[in-house]
């Protein structure tokens, strides 16, 4: 198990801080005692369940006996072991169950009777087709929070369409504003919309559970992946409503401030500069030898500076191009100006700030020996989260879970023979 993440810890010297945190005794997370049934696949629903599990929830991952969660085979693998699953499946017990069979349906209802949360991402109507909709689930457990994560929500003209994060990135307006002005709309090379929806889903679950504390009843969470993505894009709907303003693609530049871009150093590396505050913009321009622009009337506002982005970019870019990355970073730090190196994952794994925070941790694993991955999302001083184990084998905990549910070995055998497990 990884070391829990606490706030208010003294910062060790980077030279004394290992890349990964050492093992520690188990701790009780703030969600201990909460039981979550994870019926979802790829990726928003399962990642939300992972986040709950990281802080102590007992998460039971329910997979079809013959078609496991596709994330087990998604992306690179090592010796046949899917590496993405090791992250997505961490802190989850795994159970196989065919929900379309009478035996599978009965087992799920029995599990739901003792659960707090059920997360699913089937197309609307699928659970109802198996007689496992809200009516049946809430009858089994009136306190259950049923969390439904789909591309387009549970109703409306698109609700039954297949939905993935890529479609949300396109439909939300994200792709339209991403990329160079003369280039095509650009999609992210990772599951951005799914990840944002996962964060939103875990928040929605906690809100529904808090509501249950007041009402004594569970409820349905309807999470459409297109909506969190729309929310994080800022005030675009309001701009359009009030001004008819449509944001365009600006590459790495911003319409709200300048200089703001990525710049190449003399040793062929890249840095990113941000000047959202005027004081930071002043420091940057003084550093690069253009203090004369600071007193210009247009320099006083972010929009004014953005209107002169060509001039500001040219000054910053030419100065950075004459220096190595290390020298650029040191000069900006001395000037108290905002800058960051553009990292790939190799840099992340070696960075001293990530080391100090314990952002990458090492988890024991029976398949890989140890595996390094992102640590839990945030630090709590009194009830920290922790990674208890990486993603487990398909159905690894089926017999244990069913035995705890009161089934005998002969009951389990009968369910296997009927194809329910």
């Amino acid at each position: 198990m990884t070391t829990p993440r606490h706030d208010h810890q003294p910062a060790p010297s980077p030279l004394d801080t290992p890349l990964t945190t050492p093992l520690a005794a188990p701790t009780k997370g703030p969600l201990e005692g909460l039981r979550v049934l994870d019926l979802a696949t790829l990726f928003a629903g399962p990642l939300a369940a992972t986040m709950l599990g990281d802080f102590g929830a007992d998460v039971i991952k329910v997979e079809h006996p013959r078609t496991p969660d596709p994330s087990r085979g998604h992306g690179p693998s090592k010796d046949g072991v899917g590496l993405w699953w090791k992250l997505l499946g961490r802190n989850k017990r795994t159970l196989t169950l065919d929900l379309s069979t009478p035996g599978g349906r009965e087992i799920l209802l029995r599990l739901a009777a003792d659960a707090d949360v059920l997360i699913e991402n089937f197309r609307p109507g699928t659970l109802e087709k198996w007689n496992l909709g809200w009516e049946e689930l809430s009858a089994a457990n009136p306190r259950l929070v049923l969390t439904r994560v789909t591309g387009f929500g549970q109703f409306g003209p698109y609700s039954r369409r297949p939905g993935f994060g890529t479609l949300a990135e396109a439909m939300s307006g994200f792709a339209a504003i991403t990329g160079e002005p003369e280039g095509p709309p650009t999609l992210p090379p990772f599951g951005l919309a799914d990840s944002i929806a996962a964060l939103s889903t875990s928040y929605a679950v906690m809100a529904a559970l808090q509501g249950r504390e007041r009402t004594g009843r569970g409820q349905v969470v309807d999470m459409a992946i297109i909506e969190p993505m729309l929310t994080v894009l800022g005030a675009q709907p309001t701009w359009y409503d009030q001004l008819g303003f449509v944001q365009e693609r600006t590459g790495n530049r911003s319409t709200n401030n300048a200089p703001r871009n990525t710049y190449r150093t003399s040793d062929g590396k890249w840095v990113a500069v941000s000047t959202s505050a005027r004081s930071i913009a002043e420091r940057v321009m003084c550093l690069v030898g253009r203090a004369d622009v600071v007193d210009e009337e247009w320099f006083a506002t972010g929009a004014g500076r953005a209107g002169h982005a060509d001039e500001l970019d040219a000054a910053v870019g030419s100065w950075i191009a004459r220096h190595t990355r290390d020298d650029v970073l040191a000069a900006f730090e001395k000037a108290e100006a905002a800058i960051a190196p553009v990292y790939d994952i190799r840099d992340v794994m070696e960075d001293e700030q990530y080391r100090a925070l314990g952002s990458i941790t090492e988890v024991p694993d029976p398949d890989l020996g140890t595996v390094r991955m992102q640590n839990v999302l945030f630090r709590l001083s009194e009830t920290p989260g922790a990674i208890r184990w990486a993603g487990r084998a398909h159905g690894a905990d089926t017999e244990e879970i069913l035995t705890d549910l009161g089934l005998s070995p002969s009951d389990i055998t009968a369910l296997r023979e009927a194809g329910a497990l």
Side-chain angles (χ1 to χ4, degrees):
M1 193 195 80
T2 62
T3 295
R5 305 191 73 184
H6 291 270
D7 276 332
H8 313 305
Q9 297 296 312
S13 164
L15 298 177
D16 299 330
T17 306
L19 176 62
T20 55
T21 51
L23 302 184
T27 59
K28 295 182 178 180
L31 301 183
E32 185 182 26
L34 193 75
R35 174 162 289 183
V36 178
L37 304 179
D38 175 11
L39 277 60
T41 59
L42 291 179
F43 280 99
L47 182 55
T50 301
M51 294 173 181
L52 299 173
D54 284 351
F55 287 90
D58 175 21
V59 181
I60 297 176
K61 175 69 177 180
V62 180
E63 298 174 83
H64 193 280
R66 292 163 290 282
T67 53
D69 188 320
S71 66
R72 290 182 178 273
H74 205 82
S77 62
K78 180 181 179 181
D79 299 329
V81 177
L83 300 180
W84 203 323
W85 169 251
K86 289 298 179 182
L87 173 69
L88 192 63
R90 73 189 192 188
N91 291 335
K92 299 180 183 181
R93 297 192 287 162
T94 60
L95 166 73
T96 59
L97 210 57
D98 185 345
L99 302 179
S100 68
T101 65
R105 175 183 181 276
E106 179 185 351
I107 293 298
L108 186 72
L109 288 174
R110 291 178 64 173
L111 287 168
D114 193 39
D116 298 282
V117 180
L118 187 152
I119 301 175
E120 61 97 2
N121 70 338
F122 299 110
R123 288 198 206 183
T126 301
L127 282 184
E128 286 75 10
K129 178 180 65 176
W130 296 330
N131 293 318
L132 287 170
W134 175 238
E135 183 177 344
E136 291 82 7
L137 290 169
S138 60
N141 181 358
R143 291 174 56 82
L144 182 71
V145 171
L146 172 59
T147 306
R148 318 194 80 165
V149 184
T150 58
F152 305 105
Q154 294 295 308
F155 56 91
Y158 303 163
S159 61
R160 296 188 65 83
R161 291 182 181 179
F164 297 98
T166 297
L167 309 187
E169 290 148 9
M171 286 185 61
S172 63
F174 170 84
I177 64 170
T178 304
E180 294 300 322
E182 303 304 320
T186 302
L187 297 167
F190 67 102
L192 177 62
D194 278 316
S195 299
I196 292 173
L199 287 162
S200 304
T201 299
S202 60
Y203 165 65
V205 165
M206 298 311 297
L209 290 172
Q210 178 61 26
R212 188 180 72 175
E213 291 301 305
R214 294 201 306 271
T215 67
R217 301 187 306 276
Q219 59 185 300
V220 178
V221 172
D222 179 4
M223 176 62 66
I225 296 174
I226 57 173
E227 291 184 307
M229 196 68 195
L230 178 62
T231 296
V232 301
L233 291 178
Q236 287 193 54
T238 306
W239 291 339
Y240 181 75
D241 172 64
Q242 296 295 306
L243 302 171
F245 175 77
V246 178
Q247 186 172 342
E248 304 289 343
R249 289 190 290 283
T250 57
N252 290 325
R253 287 181 174 178
S254 168
T255 57
N256 303 312
N257 62 78
R260 190 262 197 182
N261 214 324
T262 58
Y263 307 91
R264 193 171 188 178
T265 62
S266 64
D267 51 349
K269 298 178 181 179
W270 292 85
V271 295
V273 173
S274 176
T275 58
S276 296
R278 178 183 176 179
S279 60
I280 298 295
E282 291 177 355
R283 293 170 195 165
V284 170
M285 299 316 298
C286 290
L287 172 64
V288 303
R290 287 299 308 274
D292 57 296
V293 300
V294 170
D295 294 325
E296 295 287 347
E297 184 177 349
W298 52 262
F299 196 88
T301 67
R305 296 193 300 275
H308 291 75
D310 286 344
E311 179 182 0
L312 299 178
D313 260 351
V316 175
S318 63
W319 185 88
I320 288 176
R322 297 194 301 270
H323 299 81
T324 66
R325 186 176 75 174
D326 286 348
D327 288 344
V328 169
L329 295 175
F332 268 70
E333 183 173 356
K334 183 177 180 181
E336 298 184 355
I339 193 171
V342 176
Y343 278 171
D344 63 22
I345 191 59
R346 292 168 294 189
D347 302 310
V348 169
M349 299 290 269
E350 299 297 331
D351 180 79
E352 62 185 15
Q353 181 62 29
Y354 283 124
R355 285 176 184 258
L357 293 174
S359 305
I360 304 295
T361 192
E362 191 171 83
V363 183
D365 183 75
D367 299 316
L368 301 171
T370 57
V371 56
R372 288 189 289 178
M373 62 178 64
Q374 300 95 318
N375 211 330
V376 300
L377 193 58
F378 48 85
R379 289 163 293 280
L380 297 176
S381 62
E382 300 300 324
T383 55
I387 304 170
R388 302 183 295 281
W389 59 81
R392 291 168 59 75
H394 181 227
D397 304 289
T398 297
E399 291 195 10
E400 175 190 333
I401 293 169
L402 296 183
T403 299
D404 290 345
L405 203 57
L407 276 70
S408 67
S410 60
D411 293 331
I412 297 172
T413 298
L415 286 168
R416 289 194 188 281
E417 290 174 349
L421 303 181

